[in-house]
Amino acid sequence: MSRTSRFPQFSADAREAPPENRHPRSPPQAVASRSLTPRAYGAAAFRQNERRHPKSDIDYLSLFTRLNGFRFIARISRVGCDNDLARSAHDRLVAKLGDLIELMIRAVEAQRCARDGADPARAEQAAEDLYWIEAEFEHRWIAQPQPLLDHLDIDLATQEIFDPRTRRWYALAECGPSLREVSDRSLCGLRQIIDQIACETGVSFHARRIVYGPAELAPSGR
């Protein structure tokens, strides 16, 4: 496989982080949305994991309500956008909140089934689903900020960064692409919304653009 076509081990905004945090440990791979249970992962193995990991106290119903409210606010805020960049960031936030809301719906349904207890087999399967829903929520949504505009791919094994313009990998120590925060004015009110989402749900979003040199560092509404 060519170096430019390899799949990066981790997506992160390394150049925005302090030096001591530039190469964070790669989180466990997110669970695929098609199935909440990895192939060949049987009930016995799950029960073993369940004993090692106590049940979570995540209030999925409350998160569902809050996320729906934020999605409505983001849709209303989009109406007042005066540039395509802000509209794009709003649209991506609405889409990502929709994905999160779907995850919360599955969690609430699994919780209801697990507590019902009328069918022990279904209850056990629901408890297993809840375990993997929590893993997806923590590793996909909580472990790292979600990009609404640009992001940079980092290969932690080789400490290289992928340049989407040249389609090549460069050492992190070299002068390559970096990320710049988009101004609050250019985002047309989105910054306040994502800050509030992080405060109330623990899910972080960022709106940054890739820059390549000093000429591109000036604030822009592009």
Side-chain angles (χ1 to χ4, degrees):
M1 181 181 296
S2 68
R3 289 171 61 83
T4 56
S5 64
R6 64 185 170 180
F7 188 83
Q9 294 185 359
F10 182 58
S11 294
D13 304 325
R15 294 188 180 276
E16 289 293 319
E20 63 272 20
N21 295 325
R22 180 162 289 178
H23 310 297
R25 180 180 298 176
S26 179
Q29 186 175 1
V31 179
S33 59
R34 185 179 297 272
S35 173
L36 290 173
T37 307
R39 185 173 298 178
Y41 196 93
F46 164 70
R47 284 192 292 270
Q48 198 173 43
N49 265 322
E50 191 178 31
R51 286 194 294 270
R52 289 201 299 266
H53 302 278
K55 290 185 177 180
S56 167
D57 58 356
I58 297 175
D59 187 345
Y60 292 108
L61 183 59
S62 177
L63 282 170
F64 168 80
T65 303
R66 291 173 184 269
L67 292 167
N68 265 298
F70 284 123
R71 183 169 61 169
F72 177 76
I73 291 172
R75 283 173 169 165
I76 296 301
S77 176
R78 188 194 187 281
V79 176
C81 292
D82 60 9
N83 65 82
D84 290 339
L85 182 68
R87 281 187 281 269
S88 177
H90 277 77
D91 288 342
R92 292 186 184 182
L93 177 61
V94 169
K96 286 178 180 289
L97 289 176
D99 290 342
L100 262 172
I101 289 168
E102 288 298 321
L103 186 67
M104 297 302 105
I105 291 174
R106 299 206 308 269
V108 171
E109 291 176 347
Q111 281 183 330
R112 184 182 299 114
C113 184
R115 292 168 181 168
D116 181 22
D119 185 338
R122 286 190 61 195
E124 181 176 356
Q125 180 60 51
E128 184 174 355
D129 288 346
L130 276 172
Y131 176 84
W132 294 110
I133 287 171
E134 179 182 350
E136 180 176 351
F137 181 59
E138 290 183 349
H139 299 315
R140 177 184 175 187
W141 297 102
I142 300 295
Q144 56 185 327
Q146 304 295 308
L148 298 179
L149 294 172
D150 295 339
H151 74 284
L152 290 172
D153 292 326
I154 309 297
D155 189 327
L156 294 182
T158 61
Q159 297 187 7
E160 292 175 304
I161 189 169
F162 182 71
D163 186 337
R165 184 169 64 177
T166 63
R167 310 297 298 175
R168 292 177 56 194
W169 292 86
Y170 296 93
L172 283 171
E174 296 179 10
C175 183
S178 60
L179 289 166
R180 170 179 58 83
E181 292 283 354
V182 176
S183 69
D184 294 344
R185 180 187 62 80
S186 297
L187 289 175
C188 300
L190 186 65
R191 180 83 59 196
Q192 183 177 357
I193 297 173
I194 61 179
D195 286 348
Q196 192 171 356
I197 291 173
C199 180
E200 295 191 20
T201 70
V203 180
S204 300
F205 297 91
H206 68 70
R208 299 168 183 163
R209 300 306 304 270
I210 295 176
V211 294
Y212 290 91
E216 298 186 18
L217 291 178
S220 170
R222 292 182 303 158

